Every structure is written in structure tokens, then in C-alpha cells.
């Protein structure tokens, strides 16, 4: 997800001039979205693990990142995509609307349970942090 970078205000817990750096999970997210762009479909955890290893990103002991580790991030990545689309239109995405959009797109939690507004609210701070980190990352890549 990319967005305009017009003099963004500091993100949560930041001061002006200080920006959130990409976390390891943010880098997994970028690889996950890059895989989709390249292959036209979402990767399995095993495919993403192999793709990360091919790009030089390894887990503990220099081994490929465990598919089980990656698998746990797929739901938050899917929900983040919906959240980020709403974030492009509004500074305060509405959890109920995002939950409804997740349902419309078939994004579900474990055992096909619907993604709840509470789940979105619980993850909103991290989504906002990722939003700012990715904007900064894309801006730095353009320089």
C-alpha cells in the first residue's frame, strides 16, 4: 500500500523528525505483498518462507523463516490491507466498516469466524505504526 507523503505528522509515540523504522514483521508484510504482485496470488507460508530465504532474509540460526511463524501474520496482513485502504480516505478508520469490508471480501479469522471490530481496534495502533513506517520506507526508496 502506498500513500501520499505530504509532510506527515508524527505517528504514535514519535516526535517530528523521528519516524518508525520497519520491523521484521513489516518486512515480512512487504515480502508478502511483493509475492502477490509478482505471482498474482497470495503465497502459502511455505512459499513465503522460500521467497524470503531467496532474498536473504532468514530466521534463527540462518535457516529459512519458519512457515508457522509466517502463518500467524497472514490474518493481520489481510486485515491491514483493508484498514490501509480506508486509512487512505480517512485519518480515523472505522472498525465496524472495516469488519464489514473484511466480511465482504471473505477475510475471516480462525475457523472462518468473522473479523470483529474489537480485533481491528486491538490492532489499530500497530496498523497506524505500520502505515507510517511503510510511507517512510517508500519515501526513502524514492530518494
Amino acid at each position: 500500500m502506498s500513500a501520499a507523503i505530504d509532510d506527515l505528522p508524527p505517528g504514535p509515540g514519535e516526535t517530528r523528525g523521528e519516524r518508525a523504522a520497519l520491523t521484521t514483521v513489516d518486512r515480512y508484510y512487504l515480502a508478502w505483498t511483493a509475492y502477490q504482485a509478482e505471482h498474482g496470488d497470495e503465497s502459502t507460508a511455505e512459499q513465503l518462507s522460500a521467497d524470503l530465504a531467496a532474498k536473504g532474509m532468514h530466521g534463527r540460526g540462518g535457516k529459512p523463516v519458519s512457515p508457522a511463524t509466517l502463518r500467524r501474520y497472514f490474518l493481520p496482513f489481510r486485515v491491514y490491507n483493508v484498514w490501509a485502504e480506508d486509512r487512505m480516505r480517512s485519518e480515523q478508520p472505522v472498525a465496524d466498516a472495516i469488519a464489514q469490508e473484511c466480511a465482504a471480501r471473505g477475510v475471516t479469522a480462525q475457523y472462518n469466524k468473522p473479523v470483529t471490530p474489537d480485533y481491528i481496534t486491538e490492532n489499530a495502533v500497530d496498523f497506524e505504526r505500520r502505515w507510517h513506517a511503510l510511507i517512510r520506507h517508500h519515501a526513502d526508496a524514492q530518494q
Side-chain angles (χ1 to χ4, degrees):
M1 196 59 44
S2 61
I5 52 173
D6 301 326
D7 194 30
L8 292 169
E14 296 177 334
T15 60
R16 189 160 292 285
E18 173 186 305
R19 293 279 179 210
L22 290 179
T23 65
T24 299
V25 177
D26 293 338
R27 293 179 192 284
Y28 295 161
Y29 173 80
L30 288 171
W32 182 77
T33 58
Y35 185 97
Q36 288 176 41
E38 184 178 335
H39 297 281
D41 202 11
E42 189 175 298
S43 68
T44 65
E46 291 77 13
Q47 290 166 327
L48 184 57
S49 174
D51 193 53
L52 287 167
K55 293 176 180 172
M57 190 169 185
H58 297 88
R60 295 176 192 238
K63 295 179 182 178
V65 179
S66 164
T69 296
L70 296 169
R71 199 171 289 115
R72 74 175 135 194
Y73 297 117
F74 286 4
L75 175 61
F77 290 171
R78 292 178 190 120
V79 176
Y80 173 79
N81 280 348
V82 176
W83 180 93
E85 287 177 18
D86 198 55
R87 178 64 174 82
M88 289 177 72
R89 295 184 295 273
S90 167
E91 286 197 28
Q92 294 295 322
V94 178
D96 287 333
I98 294 165
Q100 290 173 7
E101 185 60 24
C102 284
R105 294 183 189 191
V107 175
T108 59
Q110 192 172 21
Y111 308 117
N112 285 331
K113 291 185 179 182
V115 174
T116 65
D118 286 342
Y119 175 86
I120 294 159
T121 299
E122 289 166 10
N123 286 281
V125 170
D126 190 51
F127 288 170
E128 187 71 20
R129 183 212 50 78
R130 177 170 293 134
W131 171 263
H132 287 284
L134 293 175
I135 288 172
R136 178 62 180 201
H137 171 75
H138 291 302
D140 289 347
Q142 291 177 2
Q143 292 180 358

